[in-house]
Coordinates of all heavy atoms in Angstrom, one line a residue:
L1 N -2.2 -5.5 -6.1 CA -1.2 -5.1 -5.3 C -1.5 -5.3 -3.8 O -2.7 -5.4 -3.4 CB -0.9 -3.6 -5.4 CG -0.3 -3.1 -6.7 CD1 -0.3 -1.6 -6.8 CD2 1.1 -3.6 -6.9
D2 N -0.5 -5.5 -3.0 CA -0.6 -5.6 -1.6 C -1.0 -4.3 -1.0 O -0.2 -3.3 -1.1 CB 0.7 -6.1 -1.0 CG 0.7 -6.2 0.5 OD1 -0.4 -6.0 1.1 OD2 1.7 -6.6 1.1
K3 N -2.2 -4.1 -0.5 CA -2.6 -2.8 0.1 C -1.7 -2.3 1.1 O -1.4 -1.1 1.3 CB -4.0 -2.9 0.6 CG -5.1 -3.2 -0.5 CD -6.4 -3.3 0.2 CE -7.5 -3.7 -0.8 NZ -8.8 -3.8 -0.3
A4 N -1.1 -3.2 1.9 CA -0.2 -2.8 3.0 C 1.0 -2.2 2.5 O 1.7 -1.4 3.2 CB 0.1 -4.0 3.9
A5 N 1.4 -2.5 1.3 CA 2.6 -2.0 0.7 C 2.4 -0.7 -0.1 O 3.3 -0.1 -0.6 CB 3.3 -3.0 -0.3
A6 N 1.1 -0.3 -0.2 CA 0.8 0.9 -1.0 C 1.0 2.2 -0.4 O 0.3 3.2 -0.8 CB -0.7 0.7 -1.5
G7 N 1.8 2.3 0.5 CA 2.2 3.6 1.0 C 1.1 4.4 1.7 O 0.7 5.4 1.2
C8 N 0.7 3.9 2.9 CA -0.2 4.6 3.8 C -1.5 5.0 3.1 O -2.2 4.1 2.6 CB 0.4 5.9 4.4 SG 1.1 7.0 3.2
A9 N -1.9 6.3 3.1 CA -3.3 6.7 2.7 C -3.6 6.7 1.3 O -4.7 7.1 0.9 CB -3.6 8.0 3.4
V10 N -2.7 6.3 0.4 CA -3.0 6.5 -1.0 C -4.1 5.4 -1.5 O -4.8 5.6 -2.4 CB -1.8 6.3 -2.0 CG1 -0.8 7.4 -1.7 CG2 -1.1 5.0 -1.8
W11 N -4.2 4.3 -0.7 CA -5.2 3.4 -1.0 C -6.5 3.8 -0.4 O -6.6 4.1 0.8 CB -4.8 2.0 -0.5 CG -5.6 0.9 -1.2 CD1 -6.9 0.5 -0.9 CD2 -5.2 0.1 -2.3 NE1 -7.3 -0.5 -1.8 CE2 -6.3 -0.8 -2.6 CE3 -4.0 0.1 -3.1 CZ2 -6.2 -1.7 -3.7 CZ3 -4.0 -0.9 -4.1 CH2 -5.0 -1.7 -4.4
P12 N -7.6 3.8 -1.2 CA -8.9 4.3 -0.6 C -9.3 3.5 0.6 O -9.1 2.2 0.7 CB -9.9 4.0 -1.7 CG -9.0 4.0 -3.0 CD -7.7 3.4 -2.6
G13 N -9.8 4.1 1.7 CA -10.1 3.5 2.9 C -11.1 2.4 2.8 O -11.1 1.4 3.5
S14 N -12.0 2.5 1.8 CA -13.1 1.5 1.6 C -12.5 0.3 0.9 O -13.2 -0.8 0.9 CB -14.2 2.1 0.8 OG -13.7 2.4 -0.6
G15 N -11.3 0.3 0.3 CA -10.8 -0.8 -0.4 C -11.2 -0.7 -1.9 O -10.6 -1.4 -2.7
A16 N -12.1 0.1 -2.3 CA -12.6 0.2 -3.7 C -11.6 1.1 -4.4 O -11.2 2.2 -3.9 CB -14.0 0.8 -3.7
L17 N -11.3 0.8 -5.7 CA -10.4 1.6 -6.5 C -11.2 2.7 -7.2 O -12.3 2.5 -7.6 CB -9.7 0.7 -7.5 CG -8.6 -0.2 -6.9 CD1 -8.3 -1.3 -8.0 CD2 -7.4 0.6 -6.5
P18 N -10.6 3.9 -7.3 CA -11.2 5.0 -8.1 C -11.4 4.5 -9.5 O -10.7 3.7 -10.0 CB -10.2 6.1 -7.9 CG -9.3 5.8 -6.8 CD -9.3 4.3 -6.7
E19 N -12.4 5.2 -10.2 CA -12.7 4.8 -11.5 C -11.5 5.0 -12.5 O -11.3 4.2 -13.4 CB -13.9 5.6 -12.0 CG -14.4 5.2 -13.4 CD -15.6 6.0 -13.8 OE1 -16.2 6.6 -12.9 OE2 -15.9 6.0 -15.0
N20 N -10.7 6.0 -12.2 CA -9.6 6.3 -13.1 C -8.3 5.6 -12.7 O -7.2 5.9 -13.2 CB -9.4 7.8 -13.3 CG -9.0 8.5 -12.0 OD1 -9.2 7.9 -10.9 ND2 -8.4 9.7 -12.1
G21 N -8.4 4.7 -11.7 CA -7.2 4.0 -11.2 C -6.6 4.6 -10.0 O -7.2 5.6 -9.4
L22 N -5.5 4.1 -9.5 CA -4.9 4.5 -8.3 C -3.8 5.4 -8.6 O -2.9 5.1 -9.4 CB -4.4 3.3 -7.5 CG -4.0 3.4 -6.1 CD1 -5.2 3.8 -5.2 CD2 -3.4 2.2 -5.6
C23 N -3.7 6.6 -8.0 CA -2.6 7.5 -8.2 C -1.3 6.9 -7.6 O -1.2 6.6 -6.4 CB -2.9 8.9 -7.5 SG -1.7 10.1 -7.8
A24 N -0.4 6.7 -8.5 CA 0.8 6.0 -8.1 C 2.1 6.9 -8.0 O 3.1 6.5 -7.5 CB 1.1 4.9 -9.1
G25 N 2.0 8.1 -8.6 CA 3.2 9.0 -8.6 C 2.8 10.3 -9.2 O 1.7 10.4 -9.9
F26 N 3.7 11.3 -9.1 CA 3.4 12.6 -9.7 C 4.7 13.3 -10.0 O 5.7 13.1 -9.4 CB 2.5 13.4 -8.8 CG 3.1 13.8 -7.5 CD1 3.7 15.1 -7.3 CD2 3.1 13.0 -6.4 CE1 4.3 15.5 -6.1 CE2 3.6 13.4 -5.2 CZ 4.2 14.6 -5.0
I27 N 4.6 14.3 -10.9 CA 5.7 15.2 -11.2 C 5.2 16.6 -11.1 O 4.0 16.9 -11.5 CB 6.2 14.9 -12.7 CG1 7.5 15.6 -12.9 CG2 5.1 15.2 -13.7 CD1 8.2 15.2 -14.2
G28 N 6.0 17.5 -10.5 CA 5.7 18.9 -10.4 C 6.7 19.7 -11.2 O 7.9 19.6 -11.1
R29 N 6.1 20.6 -12.0 CA 7.0 21.4 -13.0 C 6.8 22.9 -12.7 O 5.7 23.3 -12.2 CB 6.7 21.0 -14.4 CG 6.5 19.5 -14.6 CD 6.2 19.1 -16.0 NE 5.2 19.9 -16.7 CZ 4.7 19.6 -17.9 NH1 5.1 18.5 -18.5 NH2 3.7 20.3 -18.4
S30 N 7.7 23.7 -13.2 CA 7.6 25.1 -13.1 C 8.5 25.8 -14.2 O 9.3 25.1 -14.8 CB 8.0 25.7 -11.8 OG 9.4 25.6 -11.6
S31 N 8.3 27.0 -14.4 CA 9.2 27.8 -15.3 C 10.6 27.8 -14.7 O 10.8 27.7 -13.5 CB 8.7 29.2 -15.5 OG 7.4 29.2 -16.1
I32 N 11.6 27.9 -15.6 CA 12.9 28.0 -15.1 C 13.1 29.2 -14.2 O 12.8 30.3 -14.6 CB 13.9 28.1 -16.3 CG1 13.9 26.8 -17.2 CG2 15.3 28.4 -15.9 CD1 14.4 25.6 -16.5
T33 N 13.7 29.0 -13.1 CA 13.9 30.1 -12.1 C 15.1 30.9 -12.6 O 16.0 30.4 -13.3 CB 14.2 29.5 -10.7 OG1 15.4 28.8 -10.7 CG2 13.0 28.7 -10.2
P34 N 15.2 32.1 -12.1 CA 16.4 32.9 -12.5 C 17.7 32.3 -12.1 O 18.7 32.3 -12.9 CB 16.2 34.2 -11.7 CG 14.7 34.4 -11.6 CD 14.2 33.0 -11.4
D35 N 17.8 31.6 -11.0 CA 19.0 30.9 -10.5 C 19.3 29.8 -11.5 O 20.5 29.6 -11.9 CB 18.8 30.4 -9.1 CG 20.0 29.7 -8.6 OD1 21.1 30.4 -8.5 OD2 20.0 28.5 -8.4
A36 N 18.3 29.0 -11.9 CA 18.6 27.9 -12.8 C 19.0 28.4 -14.2 O 19.9 27.9 -14.8 CB 17.3 27.0 -12.9
A37 N 18.3 29.5 -14.6 CA 18.7 30.1 -15.9 C 20.1 30.6 -15.9 O 20.8 30.4 -16.9 CB 17.8 31.3 -16.2
A38 N 20.6 31.1 -14.8 CA 22.0 31.6 -14.7 C 22.9 30.4 -14.8 O 24.0 30.5 -15.5 CB 22.2 32.3 -13.4
R39 N 22.6 29.3 -14.2 CA 23.4 28.1 -14.2 C 23.5 27.5 -15.6 O 24.5 27.1 -16.1 CB 22.9 27.0 -13.3 CG 22.9 27.4 -11.8 CD 22.4 26.2 -10.9 NE 22.3 26.6 -9.5 CZ 23.3 26.7 -8.7 NH1 24.5 26.4 -9.1 NH2 23.0 27.1 -7.4
L40 N 22.3 27.5 -16.3 CA 22.3 27.0 -17.7 C 23.1 27.9 -18.6 O 23.9 27.5 -19.5 CB 20.9 26.9 -18.2 CG 20.0 25.9 -17.4 CD1 18.5 26.0 -18.0 CD2 20.5 24.5 -17.6

């Protein structure tokens, strides 16, 4: 990949890749909130 396109600080400053790869995205989850439960 083009390091300049890798979205600022996610690419290690040394240029070396972490052993488990480069974190490219994430998802955050939670229990259904009361407001969401009411909508459902």
Side-chain angles (χ1 to χ4, degrees):
L1 290 174
D2 178 5
K3 296 181 185 180
C8 57
V10 298
W11 198 279
S14 65
L17 288 166
E19 184 176 344
N20 63 343
L22 192 65
C23 186
F26 66 95
I27 190 169
R29 320 180 312 188
S30 72
S31 299
I32 294 291
T33 64
D35 181 64
R39 294 182 189 282
L40 295 175

